[in-house]
Amino acid sequence: SQGEIAFTSESTQSVNAETFDEREVSAESTSGYWHYSDGTLTYNTSSSGAIDVDDLWEYDDVVTKIVIESGPTTIDGDFEDFTALTEVEYKTPVTIDDMCFIGSYLFSGCTSLKKVTIGASDGTGLEIDGSAFYNCTSLTDVSFGKGTWHFGRNSFGNCTSLETFKFPIDMHNVRGDSFRGCTSLKTLKLSDQNSYMRAAGNAIYEI
């Protein structure tokens, strides 16, 4: 089992990853388009030279980086088992009708993925849905800008190389199984500026 995880802020405490709340989320999508060049897939609002979303699977063994530019609120695509992918960058998550999320299983099984960078949201925030990064066994570096607030079931489940994880400053809703199977995870970091969650005893609580 994963066991206890060290909680780090100004003072070090311990937190049990199985104690977080759970909440179901949903969202509607808007249109965006995919473009490929030299190992990189870019997602934006330009339709010129776009790849049909149904043809993305043809790039599963050559794409090393995915860049999601400002524009979409919901990413249309399926990158499960893109085994060459090493980096994902979501520059500016855009909120429409209070909704913005990375969908279930979107990057699941990307076993070479090492780095995920999510920029600051333009509105009410970004939700990471269930199993979005499940079984990304090489993932070690995850960073967030202001606005990411929710992790669903197994969002980072079975990310076995993940040792340290810093919650977004606006985080206030995390399922207890968001990190299930993260056998190397030892430290969770929570910003002292987070006004939604606090550590007490052996858990992190919403306040």
Side-chain angles (χ1 to χ4, degrees), residues 16-77:
N16 190 314
E18 299 298 325
T19 61
F20 296 113
D21 289 342
E22 63 180 80
R23 178 177 177 270
E24 297 302 322
V25 297
S26 61
E28 297 176 357
S29 62
T30 57
S31 296
Y33 302 92
W34 289 104
H35 305 265
Y36 176 79
S37 178
D38 194 25
T40 299
L41 269 177
T42 303
Y43 188 78
N44 55 38
T45 55
S46 173
S47 62
S48 178
I51 301 168
D52 191 295
V53 68
D54 293 330
D55 294 331
L56 288 175
W57 64 270
E58 297 180 8
Y59 299 84
D60 64 349
D61 59 351
V62 295
V63 172
T64 58
K65 183 175 182 178
I66 290 176
V67 178
I68 303 163
E69 296 181 347
S70 178
T73 182
T74 299
I75 309 307
D76 185 17

Side-chain angles (χ1 to χ4, degrees), residues 102-117:
I102 294 177
S104 296
Y105 295 96
L106 189 63
F107 299 106
S108 175
C110 294
T111 53
S112 297
L113 181 61
K114 296 180 179 180
K115 182 177 182 179
V116 174
T117 304

Side-chain angles (χ1 to χ4, degrees), residues 50-160:
I51 301 168
D52 191 295
V53 68
D54 293 330
D55 294 331
L56 288 175
W57 64 270
E58 297 180 8
Y59 299 84
D60 64 349
D61 59 351
V62 295
V63 172
T64 58
K65 183 175 182 178
I66 290 176
V67 178
I68 303 163
E69 296 181 347
S70 178
T73 182
T74 299
I75 309 307
D76 185 17
D78 180 3
F79 304 101
E80 189 171 0
D81 299 324
F82 268 48
T83 54
L85 181 64
T86 61
E87 183 176 357
V88 172
E89 180 182 4
Y90 194 171
K91 290 188 175 181
T92 308
V94 175
T95 303
I96 298 177
D97 295 330
D98 294 330
M99 297 176 183
C100 180
F101 77 104
I102 294 177
S104 296
Y105 295 96
L106 189 63
F107 299 106
S108 175
C110 294
T111 53
S112 297
L113 181 61
K114 296 180 179 180
K115 182 177 182 179
V116 174
T117 304
I118 298 175
S121 170
D122 75 331
T124 55
L126 173 71
E127 305 173 28
I128 298 181
D129 214 344
S131 300
F133 295 97
Y134 180 77
N135 207 36
C136 293
T137 53
S138 296
L139 186 62
T140 58
D141 186 353
V142 184
S143 60
F144 301 90
K146 185 177 175 61
T148 302
W149 69 275
H150 172 87
F151 293 163
R153 176 193 295 269
N154 282 322
S155 294
F156 295 93
N158 210 41
C159 292
T160 53

Side-chain angles (χ1 to χ4, degrees), residues 156-173:
F156 295 93
N158 210 41
C159 292
T160 53
S161 295
L162 197 61
E163 296 183 0
T164 300
F165 191 95
K166 184 176 182 179
F167 284 116
I169 192 172
D170 296 313
M171 176 56 62
H172 57 278
N173 194 276

